[in-house]
Amino acid sequence: PKPDATGTQPQSKNNKNKEKEMAAKVAGIVASCKDITGTAADAYLRNRGITASPLPSALRFLSNAYGRYGALVALATDADGAVHAVQQIYVTEDGRKAPLKVQKRTNKARDDWSDTSAVRLPGQLPLILCEGVETALSLWQATGNETWACLGLGNIARAPVPEGASVIVARDGDRPGSKADNTLRQAVTSLR
């Protein structure tokens, strides 16, 4: 398509249809979820030492998410609570990570979801940014701080951190100089 009078490219029909499909898939996952209490996802978290109760409303359970496996579902929301992405962490009935090649899957409602949303765990400041849900939950439980799971290392720099907020970035145990370490360093630099 040709640029319009403002110089921007109009969204093609295929892109609009793809975005509608993505949004519908996320909405369907959310609608199929139930409270996490007493589920295989709850057992999974307890097996990992996450015993806080109640758990944040950003966490749900989806039975039969992938074949016979259920999933811990983490909702990535904006400041108003609208869901823009979900991450499913597949779990066995007894609360273990499912023995699948792909153990986590993130579904997005739109391509730029990480500019406005994260899995938000409420608490006091300073804000802690993490890569994954389990790390975020562990830190949230230990500190009581507001903690966001950004659902990927590359999304930390895109997190919608409020202007002037104090932020702690909690990294995974990547080796110094590794690709992940360098990506994180670039993300932290861009947050300044």
Side-chain angles (χ1 to χ4, degrees):
K2 294 182 180 180
D4 63 17
T6 64
T8 59
Q9 289 273 6
Q11 194 174 27
S12 74
K13 189 174 183 178
N14 287 343
N15 285 346
K16 285 181 184 178
N17 287 339
K18 180 184 172 200
E19 203 163 275
K20 282 182 182 178
E21 288 173 12
M22 291 185 330
K25 177 150 185 142
V26 167
I29 292 168
V30 173
S32 298
C33 288
K34 67 180 193 175
D35 181 70
I36 192 171
T37 307
T39 67
D42 190 15
Y44 168 73
L45 294 176
R46 292 187 186 292
N47 287 339
R48 294 192 57 127
I50 299 164
T51 58
S53 182
L55 289 166
S57 62
L59 303 175
R60 309 278 171 83
F61 177 68
L62 180 62
S63 60
N64 301 316
Y66 189 88
R68 69 177 193 255
Y69 300 111
L72 165 63
V73 179
L75 309 179
T77 61
D78 62 22
D80 295 324
V83 179
H84 295 281
V86 296
Q87 184 173 79
Q88 298 177 77
I89 302 167
Y90 302 117
V91 295
T92 62
E93 204 171 287
D94 65 347
R96 308 278 176 215
K97 214 172 243 188
L100 299 168
K101 185 175 181 180
V102 176
Q103 294 179 318
K104 296 180 182 185
R105 175 164 281 119
T106 301
N107 295 94
K108 54 191 179 181
R110 59 178 218 272
D111 285 332
D112 59 351
W113 69 271
S114 61
D115 292 338
T116 59
S117 59
V119 179
R120 298 165 187 255
L121 310 176
Q124 64 208 20
L125 295 176
L127 172 63
I128 302 173
L129 299 180
C130 302
E131 184 176 345
V133 173
E134 297 94 328
T135 301
L137 281 163
S138 295
L139 286 164
W140 170 79
Q141 177 177 269
T143 66
N145 285 49
E146 181 173 359
T147 307
W148 293 1
C150 297
L151 305 183
L153 189 58
N155 295 331
I156 290 175
R158 298 178 68 173
V161 174
E163 186 75 31
S166 294
V167 176
I168 297 170
V169 176
R171 62 178 295 151
D172 287 352
D174 302 307
R175 286 185 296 174
S178 68
K179 182 179 178 183
D181 179 58
N182 292 333
T183 300
L184 179 63
R185 289 178 187 279
Q186 290 172 353
V188 170
T189 301
S190 73
L191 287 172
R192 292 182 186 166

